[in-house]
Structures are given as structure tokens and as C-alpha cells.
């Protein structure tokens, strides 16, 4: 699955707008996606329910 096919959601503010940066990649955020509003690490939409 490509990065563009994934749906990210912010766990803090529930936003779906994000930016991707190689500098933000880590073990807990392997895609480097961060919310543009509150700067929290984004999670894949299906992972919020877990």
C-alpha cells in the first residue's frame, strides 16, 4: 500500500490534514506524518479504534 492510499487521522484534534517529513520519522511514527494544526504524530485511521 502506498503512502497516498493510507488515511491518517490526528489522535489529538481529529484532523486529517498532515505533512510528511523524513526528519519526523521514528519508531512510533514510521511515515513521518504530523498534523499541521497541533503537530501531533498522525496515526492510520484504522488504528484509532484499537
Amino acid at each position: 500500500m502506498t503512502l497516498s492510499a493510507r488515511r491518517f487521522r490526528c489522535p489529538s484534534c481529529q484532523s486529517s490534514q498532515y505533512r510528511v517529513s523524513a526528519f519526523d520519522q521514528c519508531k512510533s511514527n514510521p511515515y513521518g506524518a504530523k498534523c499541521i494544526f497541533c503537530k501531533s504524530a498522525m496515526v492510520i485511521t484504522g488504528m484509532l479504534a484499537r
Side-chain angles (χ1 to χ4, degrees):
M1 185 181 290
T2 63
L3 184 62
S4 62
R6 298 183 195 275
R7 299 206 182 249
F8 291 101
R9 179 72 58 181
C10 177
S12 300
C13 69
Q14 303 303 312
S15 172
S16 60
Q17 296 182 15
Y18 61 93
R19 66 173 178 79
V20 177
S21 172
F23 296 107
D24 294 324
Q25 290 179 339
C26 61
K27 190 173 185 177
S28 62
N29 187 12
Y31 304 107
K34 282 211 168 187
C35 176
I36 64 171
F37 299 111
C38 67
K39 309 297 187 259
S40 295
M42 302 292 275
V43 296
I44 298 174
T45 304
M47 294 177 71
L48 276 178
R50 292 181 184 170

